[in-house]
């Protein structure tokens, strides 16, 4: 089936506002004033919904971004789809090929059932992707199971010890210079909870059925680093994936337990479903020790961010206004939706505990759940006021299809973070 683009309205028989029409030549997407990329994605979703799985992008107007917008809507989690792409310049064709490989890896990984993606499997998949695009520039270390406890990665170990599948920390070093003494330009820290029951603060089924996607932050940052590497990133970046299952068992984390971290912080656990911040803390401690210019963490961290923004935007938090502005500019350049939410110094005091320095959830008087979660993480970033960004990945996964998206992972955020890494490395 050939698919064309047109700036002309559809024939009247299709309706005054029709964006898709069909004739003997194929299907035509009718672009009106406004957001053409969104219109293309929505039309592609409709084409897929009609059972068309093999298409040719024909005629004029199929630029790189228009072609990518079509794939974003056309792609789905079930079955195969084939696209014969319109002719692009060599550079644009290469960029499209990179996106198809890397962002589809992100979407496929997030969509993988938890049964088929353990913490260790997530780490090894990330290594495989990075080795493909980083080649000899990549080295890594995987620490798992009781070795985490012995090396004082107490957040990851404590959250993951309730599962039969061992928790894992992946520490991956992308070092294009090959110099072991080269400074670390950036650190990326991803939440890799491969399934989240909520632990003893058990989730209801309606909230648990999508928790295979609770490793979306880890997948997104892995994809972002791979995409930046594929585009010639020439500075050293370290990637930390904090991977675990959050399960219920006789060995699982309990309410009232206290975790003692390597930076001296103690945390009382008053909600075992607020586990993502507990594992990220370990990665942020390691990231801070590298003294990088830039630390970015990403996590499907709070329902509060999704309540505020739905599935349509990633939530951004930072004390660094200039850096937050740079990320938002990168997001705009890459046509990806981010929205900044508040994070202030007073949020850091909203985590009171009677028995530890911090609580892992805010007190009942403080209801800004996404902001207090970000504030919790700031206690594990040495220079939290400068050079640190926290992304709460609200737009990572959709439980059901929408006008523009199939059900499942979206891959949003990969291009934005890659763009920022490349822009700041110049």
């Amino acid at each position: 089936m050939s698919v064309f683009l047109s700036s002309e309205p559809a024939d009247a028989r299709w309706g005054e506002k029709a964006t898709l029409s069909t004739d003997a030549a194929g299907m035509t997407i009718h672009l009106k004033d406004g957001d053409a990329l969104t219109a293309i994605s929505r039309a592609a979703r409709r084409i897929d919904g009609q059972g068309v799985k093999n298409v040719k992008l024909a005629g004029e107007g199929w630029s790189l971004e228009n072609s990518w917008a079509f794939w974003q809507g056309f792609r789905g989690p079930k079955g195969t789809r084939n696209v014969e792409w319109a002719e692009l310049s060599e550079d644009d064709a290469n960029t499209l090929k990179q996106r198809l490989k890397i962002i589809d890896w992100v979407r496929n990984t997030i969509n993988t059932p938890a049964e088929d993606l353990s913490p260790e499997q997530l780490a090894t998949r990330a290594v495989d992707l990075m080795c493909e695009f980083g080649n000899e520039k990549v080295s890594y270390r995987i620490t798992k199971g009781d070795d985490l406890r012995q090396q004082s990665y107490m957040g990851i170990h404590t959250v993951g010890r309730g599962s039969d599948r061992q928790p894992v920390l992946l520490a991956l070093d992308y070092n294009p210079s090959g110099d072991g003494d080269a400074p670390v330009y950036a650190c990326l820290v991803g939440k890799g909870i491969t399934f989240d029951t909520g632990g003893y603060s058990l989730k209801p089924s309606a909230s648990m059925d999508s928790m295979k996607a609770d490793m979306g932050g880890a997948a997104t940052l892995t994809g972002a680093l791979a995409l930046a590497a594929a585009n010639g990133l020439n500075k050293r970046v370290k990637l930390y994936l904090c991977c675990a299952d959050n399960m219920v068992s006789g060995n699982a984390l309990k309410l009232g337990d206290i975790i003692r971290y390597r930076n001296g912080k103690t945390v009382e656990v008053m909600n075992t479903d607020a586990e993502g911040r507990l594992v990220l803390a370990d990665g942020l401690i390691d990231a801070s020790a590298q003294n990088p210019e830039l630390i970015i963490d990403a996590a499907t961290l709070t329902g509060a961010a999704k309540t505020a923004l739905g599935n349509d935007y990633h939530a951004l938090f930072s004390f660094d206004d200039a850096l937050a502005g740079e990320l938002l500019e990168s997001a705009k350049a890459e046509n990806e939706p981010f929205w900044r939410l508040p994070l202030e110094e007073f949020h850091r005091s909203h985590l009171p505990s009677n028995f530890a320095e911090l609580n892992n959830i805010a007190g009942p008087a403080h209801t800004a759940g996404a902001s207090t979660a970000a504030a919790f993480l700031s206690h594990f970033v040495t220079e939290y006021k400068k050079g640190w960004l926290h992304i709460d990945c609200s737009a990572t996964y959709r439980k059901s299809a929408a006008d523009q998206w199939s059900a499942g992972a979206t891959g949003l955020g990969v291009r934005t973070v890659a763009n920022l890494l490349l822009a700041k490395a110049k």
Side-chain angles (χ1 to χ4, degrees):
M1 175 73 71
S2 293
V3 179
F4 301 87
L5 294 178
S6 174
S7 59
E8 299 297 322
D11 187 276
R13 71 178 184 273
W14 295 101
E16 181 181 350
K17 298 182 179 180
T19 57
L20 191 65
S21 66
T22 303
D23 59 21
M27 292 185 170
T28 299
I29 300 172
H30 299 274
L31 304 179
K32 302 177 182 179
D33 293 339
D35 189 348
L37 298 180
T38 299
I40 292 170
S41 292
R42 288 178 173 174
R45 180 97 300 276
R46 287 181 59 194
I47 291 170
D48 180 71
Q50 294 175 21
V52 178
K53 305 302 179 186
N54 299 282
V55 300
K56 175 183 179 180
L57 304 188
E60 302 296 323
W62 287 110
S63 64
L64 166 64
E65 294 304 331
N66 287 347
S67 299
W68 180 248
F70 184 88
W71 180 248
Q72 290 288 79
F74 188 56
R75 184 192 188 282
K78 294 193 299 183
T80 58
R81 290 152 183 80
N82 298 298
V83 177
E84 184 179 336
W85 302 101
E87 186 173 348
L88 299 171
S89 69
E90 184 178 352
D91 285 347
D92 284 352
N94 186 53
T95 298
L96 180 61
K97 183 178 179 180
Q98 289 172 357
R99 291 182 191 175
L100 289 168
K101 175 70 176 181
I102 294 169
I103 299 179
D104 276 8
W105 178 93
V106 173
R107 294 178 78 172
N108 289 335
T109 300
I110 294 172
N111 285 341
T112 300
E115 177 68 17
D116 300 323
L117 191 72
S118 68
E120 187 169 2
Q121 287 170 316
L122 174 58
T124 56
R125 280 196 189 194
V127 169
D128 289 344
L129 182 72
M130 281 306 307
C131 286
E132 180 175 350
F133 289 94
N135 301 314
E136 72 283 351
K137 302 170 186 176
V138 172
S139 60
Y140 64 93
R141 182 187 78 253
I142 292 177
T143 307
K144 57 186 177 181
D146 200 54
D147 287 345
L148 290 165
R149 181 186 62 79
Q150 293 179 11
Q151 297 177 35
S152 297
Y153 290 100
M154 296 310 299
I156 301 172
H157 180 267
T158 302
V159 169
R161 74 187 188 204
S163 174
D164 290 338
R165 307 194 298 186
Q166 296 183 102
V168 165
L169 172 69
L170 169 64
L172 184 144
D173 187 355
Y174 171 76
N175 188 1
S177 72
D179 179 1
D181 295 323
V184 176
Y185 152 62
C187 289
L188 309 179
V189 182
K191 174 186 172 184
I193 299 296
T194 45
F195 195 75
D196 181 18
T197 67
Y200 279 106
S201 302
L202 192 67
K203 293 178 182 289
S205 293
S207 299
M208 201 190 301
D209 60 6
S210 60
M211 285 299 104
K212 66 181 181 182
D214 209 21
M215 35 58 66
T220 297
L221 291 183
T222 302
L225 182 54
L227 188 59
N231 282 277
L233 179 64
N234 60 2
K235 289 193 176 181
R236 189 177 187 180
V237 177
K238 290 195 174 184
L239 173 70
Y240 299 95
L241 301 188
C242 308
C243 308
D245 286 335
N246 185 23
M247 304 295 282
V248 179
S249 74
N251 196 37
L253 174 66
K254 300 172 288 297
L255 277 73
D257 285 354
I258 293 177
I259 300 176
R260 293 169 175 81
Y261 285 92
R262 286 166 293 134
N263 67 345
K265 300 284 185 181
T266 58
V267 175
E268 183 181 16
V269 178
M270 293 305 288
N271 187 322
T272 61
D273 195 21
E275 86 298 330
R277 64 200 73 181
L278 299 178
V279 301
L280 284 173
D282 276 327
L284 289 170
I285 292 170
D286 274 5
S288 293
Q290 305 301 312
N291 296 313
E293 296 177 33
L294 177 64
I295 296 176
I296 303 174
D297 75 75
T300 48
L301 201 64
T302 68
K306 193 169 290 187
T307 297
L309 302 178
N311 282 137
D312 300 306
Y313 289 82
H314 284 316
L316 172 66
F317 299 85
S318 185
F319 288 97
D320 188 333
D321 292 339
L323 181 58
E326 289 180 72
L327 184 131
L328 292 174
E329 283 299 313
S330 286
K332 183 177 180 181
E334 298 294 338
N335 301 301
E336 292 190 324
F338 279 72
W339 196 269
R340 191 178 181 188
L341 292 180
L343 179 58
E344 301 289 349
E345 189 67 30
F346 67 80
H347 288 121
R348 286 166 48 88
S349 65
H350 288 181
L351 299 154
S353 167
N354 291 326
F355 302 99
E357 186 173 349
L358 296 170
N359 198 322
N360 78 321
I361 56 170
H366 308 299
T367 57
S371 297
T372 55
F376 177 93
L377 295 176
S378 74
H379 286 276
F380 299 88
V381 180
T382 304
E383 301 293 335
Y384 66 89
K385 289 187 177 181
K386 185 174 178 59
W388 170 56
L389 296 171
H390 163 57
I391 300 169
D392 198 329
C393 300
S394 310
T396 292
Y397 185 88
R398 309 189 77 100
K399 292 179 70 170
S400 56
D403 287 347
Q404 188 177 350
W405 297 100
S406 67
T410 63
L412 290 173
V414 173
R415 291 170 58 190
T416 294
V417 175
N419 181 301
L420 184 67
L421 289 172
L422 290 163
K424 290 186 68 64
K426 290 180 180 178

